[in-house]
Amino acid sequence: MIISQFQHILCHFATQKIFNQIKGEVMQGQRIGLVGRNGEGKTTLLNVLAGILQPTEGIITWKKDSSSGLLEQTPDEQEERTVEQLMIAVFSELTLLQQQLTGMERQMENASPEELDRLLLRYGMLQDDFIQRGGYDIDVKIDQVLNGLKIKQLKFEQWGHLSGGEKTKVGLAKLLLQKPDLLLLDEPTNHLDLEAIEWLGSFISHYKGTIVLASHDRYFLDETVTHIWEIDQGDLIQYAGNYSSYVKEREARLLIEFQQYQDQQKKIQKMKETIKRLKEWANRANPPNAGMHRQAKSIEKALHRIEILDRPMLTKKQMALDFQIDGRSGKDVIFLDGVWKEFGDRILFHDVSMHIRYGERAAIVGSNGTGKTTLLNMMLEKEQADAGEVKLGSGLSIGYLSQHTLEMDNDRTIIEEFRDAVAVSEYDARPMLAKFLFFGNMVFQPVRQLSGGERMRLRLAQLMHQNHNLLILDEPTNHLDLEAKEVMEEALSEFPGTIIVVSHDRYFLDKLFPVTYWLRNETIERFDGNYSAAREKVIVPTK
């Protein structure tokens, strides 16, 4: 059964055109992963499917009486409402029914026998409806979702007091409780820690409705979706299967299309050569040969009727990321021994010991709030330990990529922001920025106009040209699309120095980091193995 169908969809924003009159069907029970470069229109398509945005051209229809719900990247609510109130509002029909039951209970206290019989009959019918719709399970359902997303402690907090990440989680919790027929998710794993991501993946995999989600998380897509929709240069290409299946099918499709393009080009060239020869022969004849001219004309008409295939782009322009070092550090890079950190009466962690050696690639993982970023700040000497010892090795040049690295000077231009970190002339800066896809006059664009992905590219351009021998990276794949992530992974895999990372990207962790430090129970444990190997030993609950 079709949940939603769209044809010839095109959207215009000012002078920018998004989509080449795309078409598609969302079938009941499908779980569709929406992928593509940043700026291709994934969020736009989700808004069209949600009925929030009307396309400039085209038609979209939905199944009668079907419901949809969209998780936006920046959900908005009334500032003074508590998280609990927002969750209860999802069950407005049931709470209204509960109020009716309570009112009838009061009426029955003073009712006459005849009126009591009538009220009891009506009360029984309403109560059966209330029970069947899960009215007595509202609190259980709310706690289940809040626990899964690790935000039960926020139950009585006001919306206006929540951080951006907490608002995303609350918006997601509200949507999961609504259980719409069509669930639309825009980057749902943003701001979630590893446990919450795994819980959400399990929830989506068992969801009874239909889902379309945009994500750059490869493991998450593999675990959750049954189809992939790729938006590429305005076109919508559809694939059956999860992300890994899509990667293989896409490569095979591009190779076939490229072979078809080459074959067609050869055919066209042969036809042009035949036309030229026929005309030459016809003109050399005395008198000129009219038959050959007709043959040439016929082939020319056939040539004009050919629908010329576009040349498939087997490779696209990507940022040129290549980390180098000016000189290596000493053998011992970072040494922590018995480190404690407290905030007020709360012990964040205690007895933390770490030993990072030159050339090592180590990941620090753990739930949100366990102190991962605090540990990085201690290594950067931005935070002091309350007890224990933190030592830095000799000859260190540290490059730091913060979670908040996107908070740049919005009044500067791209080239000014770049040159603030890299001491080069404007003449030398421009080709450097071009390698990160900032071309021509774009380098004079104000930073405030950049998207999250563009800001991350700018910060990576700064970091690459500083030639550090130790990279400390806090959520480095945030805001990057799938292709940009692959470029970063390749560059980091060839980096000769030391890397310490905090990340919730499981694919990224498994691919690059053979040492895992796991923060939990207020202390840390080292595992010689990537995240997946460490997780098997830790046994993190996913439901």
Side-chain angles (χ1 to χ4, degrees), residues 299-311:
I299 297 172
E300 279 182 333
K301 288 179 179 178
L303 184 60
H304 289 314
R305 288 194 296 267
I306 292 175
E307 186 175 340
I308 305 298
L309 299 174
D310 292 330
R311 179 186 173 95

Side-chain angles (χ1 to χ4, degrees), residues 201-418:
S202 177
F203 184 98
I204 288 176
S205 296
H206 295 91
Y207 191 73
K208 300 300 182 185
T210 305
I211 297 173
V212 181
L213 65 92
S215 179
H216 296 313
D217 187 322
R218 291 156 288 189
Y219 272 10
F220 188 75
L221 288 168
D222 263 349
E223 293 169 350
T224 57
V225 304
T226 58
H227 295 74
I228 292 286
W229 285 5
E230 179 190 27
I231 305 178
D232 184 15
Q233 300 179 83
D235 294 321
L236 182 67
I237 306 106
Q238 302 177 34
Y239 299 85
N242 62 10
Y243 179 78
S244 294
S245 174
Y246 147 76
V247 171
K248 294 175 184 176
E249 284 192 38
R250 181 180 186 274
E251 184 178 352
R253 177 183 68 81
L254 286 174
L255 289 173
I256 290 171
E257 288 181 358
F258 189 72
Q259 184 62 53
Q260 289 172 341
Y261 169 80
Q262 286 186 315
D263 291 345
Q264 187 186 64
Q265 289 297 305
K266 290 177 183 176
K267 178 181 178 181
I268 290 170
Q269 186 59 36
K270 284 182 180 179
M271 290 174 75
K272 288 179 177 178
E273 290 172 357
T274 301
I275 292 166
K276 183 181 178 181
R277 282 198 303 270
L278 285 170
K279 286 182 176 180
E280 287 177 353
W281 294 341
N283 290 333
R284 263 192 271 163
N286 190 12
N289 190 311
M292 285 187 178
H293 273 298
R294 284 194 298 272
Q295 281 184 300
K297 195 69 175 175
S298 177
I299 297 172
E300 279 182 333
K301 288 179 179 178
L303 184 60
H304 289 314
R305 288 194 296 267
I306 292 175
E307 186 175 340
I308 305 298
L309 299 174
D310 292 330
R311 179 186 173 95
M313 291 183 63
L314 298 182
T315 58
K316 299 176 184 176
K317 286 184 179 179
Q318 280 287 8
M319 61 178 178
L321 192 57
D322 181 21
F323 292 109
Q324 298 295 328
I325 62 175
D326 279 340
R328 61 161 289 165
S329 67
K331 182 178 178 182
D332 297 317
V333 175
I334 302 283
F335 184 79
L336 279 67
D337 184 25
V339 170
W340 284 58
K341 187 63 184 178
E342 300 177 11
F343 287 102
D345 296 332
R346 182 196 169 201
I347 297 175
L348 186 61
F349 48 72
H350 60 84
D351 295 320
V352 166
S353 296
M354 300 175 66
H355 187 188
I356 309 292
R357 295 174 175 84
Y358 179 76
E360 202 164 56
R361 294 177 190 152
I364 302 173
V365 303
S367 301
N368 286 344
T370 53
K372 302 184 297 294
T373 298
T374 300
L375 268 182
L376 296 188
N377 284 333
M378 287 180 177
M379 297 174 188
L380 295 162
E381 299 182 314
K382 294 181 177 181
E383 192 94 43
Q384 297 299 312
D386 294 324
E389 185 178 26
V390 179
K391 282 185 180 179
L392 303 184
S394 61
L396 282 181
S397 173
I398 302 176
Y400 177 47
L401 185 66
S402 164
Q403 282 191 63
H404 309 294
T405 193
L406 306 187
E407 297 172 3
M408 299 174 173
D409 188 336
N410 285 327
D411 293 328
R412 284 178 175 158
T413 64
I414 293 172
I415 199 164
E416 286 171 343
E417 186 70 19
F418 176 74

Side-chain angles (χ1 to χ4, degrees), residues 117-135:
D117 287 342
R118 181 182 62 80
L119 287 171
L120 280 172
L121 180 62
R122 175 65 177 159
Y123 183 86
M125 292 171 61
L126 290 178
Q127 191 175 50
D128 285 345
D129 187 29
F130 186 72
I131 291 170
Q132 288 177 8
R133 293 166 65 182

Side-chain angles (χ1 to χ4, degrees), residues 188-202:
T189 60
N190 276 3
H191 309 292
L192 298 187
D193 60 27
L194 289 161
E195 291 181 48
I197 289 171
E198 291 176 355
W199 176 87
L200 178 61
S202 177

